Amino acid sequence: MCGRFVSTRSPQDLSHLFHVAEWRPDETLAPSWNVAPTDDVYGVLERAPRAEGSGAPPRRELRPLRWGLVPSWAKDPSVGSRMINARMETVHEKPAYRRAFARHRCLLPADGFYEWTEAKDATTGKKRKQPYFIHPADGQIMALAGLYAYWRNPEVDNDDDPAAWLTTCTIITTEATDAAGRVHPRMPLALTPDHYAAWLDPRHDDAEELRALLTQPAGGHLDARPVSPAVNNTRNNGPQLLDEATP
């Protein structure tokens, strides 16, 4: 599972790292050291510009997506809070994700992610959740494999009204390895740069070839360190959340 992560890179940096052709300054997000479900996050995706017709080649974009996928057939967007993760083993066949896996794949840039273990407080003897920050050992950015979906708000009449559409995403997870495996049995999947183009290309729809792109994040080379329980509260934010703490 991935229920919280860190995303602090600027859109300018992300545009350079992911060779983005288009991003809108008015959609700039603040850096976050405590990204939580239903927050807006940066997504890298490819789609054909509407103004250029259906035959136009896809263009790579950086845009905000709400974390928690809402399928197009959902009655209301509240379902998104329960669809923050999709399992790699079944993502290509589950009704909620099958269409997005075939046509709407994205990358979700992250500095790292949080997972929790159950620990006993040495002073009180009570059990508590101890958070760990898990990140690539070399400090490079993680490109988490994700899916996105468009949901049409039936309460808005005009299709061209921005309020008519909600664009959401989910993170694909797999069995945990390396340092992450000592903390939690599941972890988010990340792609290597040589797989970005194939993953993002909406014209690429072979399920087995796409699943073959999903490998161990950072090649399995991840570090984990205990951090302050302050991260447990979604209202807390700031770089101090990444400071190493005594577990």
Side-chain angles (χ1 to χ4, degrees), residues 153-176:
N153 186 346
E155 297 180 359
V156 180
D157 293 330
N158 187 355
D159 277 353
D160 293 328
D161 186 335
W165 297 95
L166 178 65
T167 312
T168 60
C169 64
T170 190
I171 295 172
I172 297 176
T173 65
T174 187
E175 292 184 2

Side-chain angles (χ1 to χ4, degrees), residues 21-240:
E22 180 181 333
W23 70 274
R24 300 173 183 171
D26 61 325
E27 294 182 336
T28 298
L29 302 176
S32 178
W33 291 262
N34 201 359
V35 179
T38 74
D39 285 350
D40 282 349
V41 300
Y42 281 125
V44 179
L45 55 92
E46 290 187 0
R47 61 175 186 164
R50 289 178 61 187
E52 297 180 19
S54 59
R59 179 181 299 167
R60 190 170 297 185
E61 302 178 5
L62 179 71
R63 58 177 303 177
L65 310 171
R66 196 176 82 167
W67 185 18
L69 191 133
V70 180
S72 60
W73 42 259
K75 292 182 178 180
D76 64 77
S78 64
V79 68
S81 62
R82 303 190 302 274
M83 298 179 66
I84 62 171
N85 292 161
R87 294 175 68 92
M88 186 273 286
E89 297 86 349
T90 57
V91 65
H92 61 296
E93 57 190 15
K94 290 286 186 180
Y97 305 117
R98 186 169 53 212
R99 175 181 169 84
F101 186 78
R103 300 182 57 188
H104 293 153
R105 298 174 301 276
C106 63
L107 298 172
L108 303 169
D111 303 341
F113 59 98
Y114 297 105
E115 290 295 356
W116 285 260
T117 61
E118 194 172 80
K120 182 179 289 187
D121 190 292
T123 303
T124 65
K126 294 182 178 180
K127 292 182 178 179
R128 63 179 177 84
K129 287 190 172 182
Q130 171 61 55
Y132 284 77
F133 178 58
I134 302 170
H135 59 98
D138 59 6
Q140 296 298 309
I141 196 165
M142 299 184 78
L144 305 183
L147 309 175
Y148 70 97
Y150 299 105
W151 182 78
R152 177 67 168 84
N153 186 346
E155 297 180 359
V156 180
D157 293 330
N158 187 355
D159 277 353
D160 293 328
D161 186 335
W165 297 95
L166 178 65
T167 312
T168 60
C169 64
T170 190
I171 295 172
I172 297 176
T173 65
T174 187
E175 292 184 2
T177 59
D178 201 66
R182 298 193 294 271
V183 178
H184 194 276
R186 303 290 297 181
M187 66 186 296
L189 265 165
L191 273 77
T192 54
D194 57 318
H195 289 163
Y196 291 173
W199 178 254
L200 293 175
D201 189 346
R203 299 165 297 189
H204 189 180
D205 60 2
D206 186 291
E208 290 308 309
E209 290 182 3
L210 291 167
R211 293 182 71 228
L213 302 176
L214 304 175
T215 57
Q216 290 183 346
H221 302 298
L222 296 168
D223 279 346
R225 64 172 179 266
V227 294
S228 169
V231 75
N232 297 352
N233 188 328
T234 58
R235 291 191 296 270
N236 294 329
N237 214 317
Q240 72 278 1

Side-chain angles (χ1 to χ4, degrees), residues 9-23 44 60 62 141 196:
R9 306 289 181 108
S10 71
Q12 293 88 344
D13 286 346
L14 295 176
S15 295
H16 174 71
L17 287 168
F18 292 96
H19 306 290
V20 167
E22 180 181 333
W23 70 274
V44 179
R60 190 170 297 185
L62 179 71
I141 196 165
Y196 291 173

